Amino acid sequence: MDRIAVIAGAGEFPRLFVREARKRGVEPVVVALQEEADPAIEEEAEQVHWMPLGKVGRLLKLLSREKVTRAVVAGKVHKVRIFRDFRPDVKTLTLLWGLRDRKDDTIMLKVAEILAQEGIELLPQTTYMDEYLPGAGVFTKRQPTDEERSDVSFGAEIARSMGELDIGQTVVVKRGAVLAVEAIEGTDQAIRRGGSLGNGDVVVVKVAKPRQDLRFDVPAVGLDTIVACLDARARVLAIEGGKTFFFQQDEAVALADRHNLTILAF
């Protein structure tokens, strides 16, 4: 049977990827990152190996032992952990030592390079996942107002600029003003911060980076994103169609409809 390593972080993505791989007769070998991956991943995959963050050397030994030649990174890693409980092994320290900065793309490009040196190809996160990349349209009952559409266009321009700098992919705007830009804290906290600063009625925009590497960091929204938008009293959540994963779509849209939140892809 064909096999693929799934380096599983937080969120719904790893579980969904495992399901889609198995539908296609591909056996997932899951490397679940401790304190990130959902323990429910064990219900989806027969092989799950739990591993602390920062153990690249151990990861390479495991993949070599399992004779895996393809891998995918699925789910997010809360980057703030690098400054808290991060205990890297020698291989990871070597990796980090030679980097020009600690931006997401810089780190992941180096990881991809190291995997390639070991004969392991890092595949796009979109592998097997096309159905979770919706096209343009409004998903909810409520349509955006003209002012909100204007804020979506404005926010998309700002978010792409931030993505170009590899800072973040989400911005919160209101009436042509930028309230919050996603940085190391992640999307949900940025949304809540922007909603608080704008006193609600904000527009949240999430885009792909202008030169998005599909092997990592493809933007994603799901039920947790909707909860964050409701906490922020947002009026609109806008994503880039065809380039953003929308997980738990039915549940997310139903929750948004109950609270008069517009979700759209542009």
Side-chain angles (χ1 to χ4, degrees), residues 70-90:
R70 300 186 305 152
V72 69
V73 175
K76 61 185 177 182
V77 174
H78 295 93
K79 197 177 174 185
V80 292
R81 289 186 57 202
I82 293 178
F83 302 102
R84 294 178 181 172
D85 56 351
F86 188 60
R87 295 182 175 85
D89 61 13
V90 174

Side-chain angles (χ1 to χ4, degrees), residues 79 96 98-107 166:
K79 197 177 174 185
L96 294 174
L99 299 180
R100 66 180 185 275
D101 55 54
R102 300 293 173 86
K103 292 180 180 179
D104 293 346
D105 282 1
T106 305
I107 294 172
D166 196 17

